[in-house]
Structures are given as structure tokens and as C-alpha cells.
Amino acid sequence: MKKVATGTALLAGTSALVGCSGPAAEVDVQASAVEQQRPNIIYIMSDDHAVRALSAYGSDLAELAPTPNIDRIAQNGALFTNSFVTNSLCGPSRAAMFTGKFGHKNGFNFNGQTFDGSQDTWINHLHDAGYNTAAIGKWHINVLPDGFKLDHWELLNDQGEYYNPDWITPEGVHTEHGYTTDMITDKTINWLDELRDESKPFALIMHHKAPHRNWMPAPRHTRTFENVEFPVPDTYFDNWEGREAAKNQEMTLYLHSQEGHDLKMTTGVGETEWRQDIWPHLRARMTDEQHKEWNDAYQARNDYMNANEANWSDEEMALWKYQRYMQDYLATIIAVDESVGEVLDYLEANGLSDNTIVVYTSDQGFYTGEHGWFDKRFMYEESFRTPLLIQYPNQIKPGTVVDSMVQNIDYAPTFLEYAGVDLYDDVDGESMIDVINGKTEEARDALYYHFYEFPAIHQVGRHYGVRDGRYKLMHFYFRTNDWEFYDLEKDPKEMNNAIDNPEYAGEIKRLKTRMAELKDQYDVPPMDEWRKMNLREHRSPKAKLHKVYPESFDADRKVVKVIKD
């Protein structure tokens, strides 16, 4: 590992040269000193990481499945207890994060749309201000980074795969063998160590695929939790009474997950073939050696399930599926945690830690069995809320806890303010710096949310809503007209829709007024436009990156040839 001189040591060394080099060199050193004081930024984002599955938040999983390296960021800096998204869906969340704007402004409201890379983003403005920029890992905004001012990029194709993924670079596409989380880590360290321009501050986007569906752990972690029994949420067998949209969803773990693709259940005792799997090409990417290692890890557990399935009740099978889901989901997070540890270790070993902002977050939250669900989409707390941890030793006190409500549209103004770069126009987000350093207790009094992707996979209805410090109001408006209201202090698990409870009539009226104010503040188009919107008319071609870089497959969907651009 290369160690680079930074900070005071670097400046002292260059000052010695100035005495021999004249006024021009002295000016260069002064400029270099300014550059050294500008913070570096490493923005680490995973995909579908539930707050419950990050041990810094102290959930019931903290001791069973700890994340000690991600927790280091909270110990070194700030943990946000009320961090939320604007739309709990992968692509729209990324677009909001990049721009600091809601989807109706940045043009990306649901997966399948194409992000407009020509618009303002914080990464572009940092590049214009002299930052060395890079993006490594998952991209998932349905377009190559055209318009993004990236000095270096290596991106996963579309969703990416856990094993042997395709990588897209400016030179084309190629397949690499290995485990994707580890590859993202190695490519990140390589860029930091070998490829970045050390004369400039840097901004690095490091985006993991994990722990997105279908939760395939690294070979070293396929057995990590095989004997662990995880606590089952007391809402796991929710009947969704009083919540019509919740009744109509198709993301109930024990009803709607694929037994093969998601849960790796096999067809019988002694068999290795998965059951239902509508995306068999993902497993087909594995080498024979990887297949053997995988089968060896799961065979005994699958044989036990197959031998007992006929005698189990529906409830017993539902509980077995929950344990299998959690074992794999949490195992994929271990590799992400290891990755974060490697990055933090590198920064510390190379004198970069104090002046580098390290962010860890997810594109949204995720259900770990609450209400019986996996996936996200709803404005209910588990998917609306997302983990957020930030360290910046030069400015953030270790162990800071931020209780103020923030959203992912706030990242852009925060990064630019830390870097001393002017914010561009029409941003919806607000800088988080004052709530981080304690100058103000509350960044905003209420949050606006809007989910658009229906009809679509998982069948979660279109809805928008507002949340303040205690209450939440939601409106499901497409093919229905249902309202939901929750007192989060008395009903934190959102089991009792109190929209018709006269006790809350005043609060409901107040939140409807606040909702109208937020719509006006954020220039939300009239609801009639969203009611009439046809998703098919607004989608870009499916799998755009595959279209740009097509592949040839054999009959078993194994890649046999990669066609470069």
C-alpha cells in the first residue's frame, strides 16, 4: 500500500523547496495549501440497507449481526436518527441524491426512466471547482454517465450481479470473475492509491449493489448465520386491517418472494436446482467452482427443509422463509461492512482521514419482515427512513447524534457548502451543516414524500404524504382515494390507521394544510397530471445499458461473448 504525505508534512516539505525556487514556486505552494484544506469526499451508498440492520442504531439485530466498521463512522462523526428519502425506490432516490431536487424537478420519478445527466449535480460542480472525481460500483439510473464530469468511472451494468459481474468503463464492457462487493472495494482502493490526482481534493462515489435482492452472500459468508435464529418482528403476520394499499401489495415474504431466486430453495432432497427463478441467468454466471462451493454451503439446510416441508404448517414455512431471508440478507451486509473498514483503514494509514468526509447511507430503507414484507416503496417508516452516518474529523465531533429530520435532497447542498462551492439554482434540499454542529436543532418541521411507480412490480399504489415530528398523513390516489394517518408516538409500527378517529381531526386538518404548503414550496404539479400518467409512455428502453453494450448468451444464459462498443 502506498503512503502519501498529506497535510502539514506535505506543506513543510514543499516550503523547503520554495526557498530555492523563487516567487512563482511560492505562489504554487500557497495554492497547494488551499487545495489541501478543502475536504475530500467519499460518498458510500449501499442498496436497500435497513436501519434495523445497522448496529450503530441499536436494534434487536445489533448483537447478532453487528456492523462494526460502518459503526466506526458514527463513532468518529455523526449518526442521524431521522434520515429519510423523497421516494423509496432505487433510481429516483439516486436522482434526488445527485441533484438535491425532487423527482418532479429532476425528471426521474420511477425506475425505467433515464436520468438527464446534463442537469446540475453536486459532483459536477465539485469537478468544476477543481475536484478530482470518480464513480465506482452501482449506477442504476438507466444511462451511461454522459453529462457527468467524472475523471474516472467503472460501473456495474444495470442492477449488477453478485458474482462475476459486467463492468462498464469508457473503453466498453467486460466481465470480471469474483464477488462484486469485494471488486468495488478493490477498485476503490486502487483509484485512491494509484489513479487519483494527488494535487487536487477528490470526490469519490462508491456505490454497492448489496444488500439488494437476491441477497447472495460472498463465499466466505454463506454459512455465517446458518445456525443463528433472528428475532421475528411482531408485525410479521400483519393482516393490514384498515390499510387497503397494504392489502393489495405483492411483496409479502412468505407469499410473493421467489422460492428459488430469493430464498435459494431447491426442488428436493439431494437436489441442487433452485425452485422458481425468473432470472436464472444471474446464477448461471457462476463458475463450476463457485457453484460447488455454494451448493456445499446450502445443501444440508435445503435437504432439511425439503424433508420436513410436507409436515410443516403454513406458519412454520413462513417462519422458515423469514430465517432464510435474514440469514442471506444480513450476510451480504457483512461484506459491505468489511469494505467500509478497508476504506477507513486506507484513509487512516495514508494520513487522509482528518480532512475526508466519509458518508455512509442507503438509497432507501428496507423491510426485514415488518408487516410480513421485503422490499421498500411505501412511506411507512421502515422504507421511508434510511441510515445516514457522516464523519469529518476536522469539523464533526466524534459521537455526534443528529435528531433533526433530514432527507437525501440535503446531501448536495451539504457537500457543496463543506467544499466552499456555490449552490446552483432551484435546489429543494437544505444544508445539514448547522444541525450537525448544533447551531440549529431542526432543519425543517415536515417532510414531503411521493411514490409514483404503479402499476408495476410489487403493486404498491401511488401515494404522497407528509410527516412531521410525530404524525404522518398519506394519500393513495391512483385508482383509489384512500387516506391514512398515524400517530408515530403512540403507534410507531403504523398498525392503526387513525384517519377516521375524531380525536385526531385537528391534526389531520393541520397536516393537510402543511401538505399543501409543501407542494407549493416544491412546485409539485397538480395531482391530475400524476393520476393520468401512463408509466409505459414515460419509460425509456428497458435495460438501456445492455442495449448500448449487448452480450451474447448460450442456451443456459451464460455469457459466451462480450461485444464492446
Side-chain angles (χ1 to χ4, degrees), residues 109 134 166 177 221 259 277 390 401 495 522:
N109 292 306
D166 292 340
H177 287 92
H221 292 308
E259 292 187 336
D277 184 11
I390 304 177
V401 176
M495 296 290 286
Y522 297 132

Short mmCIF file of all heavy atoms in Angstrom, two decimals, residues 109 134 166 177 221 259 277 390 401 495 522:
data_model
loop_
_atom_site.label_atom_id
_atom_site.label_comp_id
_atom_site.label_asym_id
_atom_site.label_seq_id
_atom_site.Cartn_x
_atom_site.Cartn_y
_atom_site.Cartn_z
N ASN A 109 -38.77 9.85 -11.74
CA ASN A 109 -39.76 9.53 -10.72
C ASN A 109 -39.94 8.03 -10.46
O ASN A 109 -40.48 7.65 -9.43
CB ASN A 109 -41.13 10.11 -11.11
CG ASN A 109 -41.13 11.62 -11.07
OD1 ASN A 109 -40.79 12.23 -10.06
ND2 ASN A 109 -41.51 12.24 -12.18
N ALA A 134 -14.63 10.65 -9.28
CA ALA A 134 -14.70 9.26 -9.74
C ALA A 134 -15.99 8.62 -9.24
O ALA A 134 -16.55 9.03 -8.22
CB ALA A 134 -13.49 8.46 -9.24
N ASP A 166 -20.63 -7.77 -15.00
CA ASP A 166 -20.16 -6.97 -16.13
C ASP A 166 -19.78 -5.58 -15.60
O ASP A 166 -20.52 -4.99 -14.80
CB ASP A 166 -21.26 -6.81 -17.19
CG ASP A 166 -21.57 -8.12 -17.88
OD1 ASP A 166 -20.74 -9.03 -17.84
OD2 ASP A 166 -22.68 -8.22 -18.45
N HIS A 177 -14.33 -11.98 -12.99
CA HIS A 177 -14.71 -13.04 -12.07
C HIS A 177 -14.39 -12.65 -10.64
O HIS A 177 -13.30 -12.13 -10.36
CB HIS A 177 -14.01 -14.35 -12.43
CG HIS A 177 -14.56 -14.99 -13.66
ND1 HIS A 177 -14.05 -14.75 -14.91
CD2 HIS A 177 -15.62 -15.83 -13.83
CE1 HIS A 177 -14.76 -15.43 -15.81
NE2 HIS A 177 -15.71 -16.09 -15.17
N HIS A 221 -19.10 -16.05 3.49
CA HIS A 221 -20.19 -15.74 4.41
C HIS A 221 -21.47 -16.54 4.16
O HIS A 221 -22.49 -16.25 4.78
CB HIS A 221 -20.50 -14.25 4.37
CG HIS A 221 -19.41 -13.39 4.91
ND1 HIS A 221 -18.85 -13.60 6.15
CD2 HIS A 221 -18.75 -12.32 4.38
CE1 HIS A 221 -17.90 -12.71 6.37
NE2 HIS A 221 -17.82 -11.92 5.31
N GLU A 259 -39.12 -18.63 -4.50
CA GLU A 259 -38.51 -19.63 -3.63
C GLU A 259 -37.10 -20.00 -4.09
O GLU A 259 -36.25 -20.36 -3.27
CB GLU A 259 -39.40 -20.87 -3.55
CG GLU A 259 -40.69 -20.61 -2.80
CD GLU A 259 -41.50 -21.87 -2.55
OE1 GLU A 259 -41.31 -22.85 -3.32
OE2 GLU A 259 -42.31 -21.89 -1.61
N ASP A 277 -37.46 -19.37 -10.40
CA ASP A 277 -36.36 -18.42 -10.61
C ASP A 277 -36.53 -17.80 -11.99
O ASP A 277 -36.12 -18.36 -12.99
CB ASP A 277 -35.02 -19.14 -10.49
CG ASP A 277 -33.84 -18.19 -10.61
OD1 ASP A 277 -34.06 -16.96 -10.57
OD2 ASP A 277 -32.71 -18.67 -10.73
N ILE A 390 -22.03 10.22 8.98
CA ILE A 390 -21.04 11.09 8.34
C ILE A 390 -19.90 11.36 9.31
O ILE A 390 -20.14 11.79 10.45
CB ILE A 390 -21.63 12.43 7.89
CG1 ILE A 390 -22.83 12.23 6.95
CG2 ILE A 390 -20.58 13.29 7.20
CD1 ILE A 390 -23.51 13.53 6.52
N VAL A 401 -24.83 12.99 17.62
CA VAL A 401 -26.12 12.42 17.25
C VAL A 401 -27.02 13.55 16.76
O VAL A 401 -27.22 14.54 17.46
CB VAL A 401 -26.79 11.68 18.43
CG1 VAL A 401 -28.18 11.18 18.03
CG2 VAL A 401 -25.92 10.51 18.90
N MET A 495 -49.69 0.41 12.68
CA MET A 495 -50.65 -0.68 12.56
C MET A 495 -52.10 -0.18 12.57
O MET A 495 -53.00 -0.91 12.15
CB MET A 495 -50.45 -1.66 13.72
CG MET A 495 -49.10 -2.37 13.73
SD MET A 495 -48.95 -3.56 12.39
CE MET A 495 -50.01 -4.88 13.00
N TYR A 522 -42.39 23.25 -3.12
CA TYR A 522 -41.56 22.44 -4.03
C TYR A 522 -42.09 22.41 -5.46
O TYR A 522 -41.60 21.65 -6.29
CB TYR A 522 -41.47 21.01 -3.49
CG TYR A 522 -40.79 20.90 -2.14
CD1 TYR A 522 -41.37 20.16 -1.12
CD2 TYR A 522 -39.57 21.53 -1.89
CE1 TYR A 522 -40.74 20.03 0.12
CE2 TYR A 522 -38.95 21.42 -0.66
CZ TYR A 522 -39.54 20.68 0.35
OH TYR A 522 -38.92 20.57 1.57
#
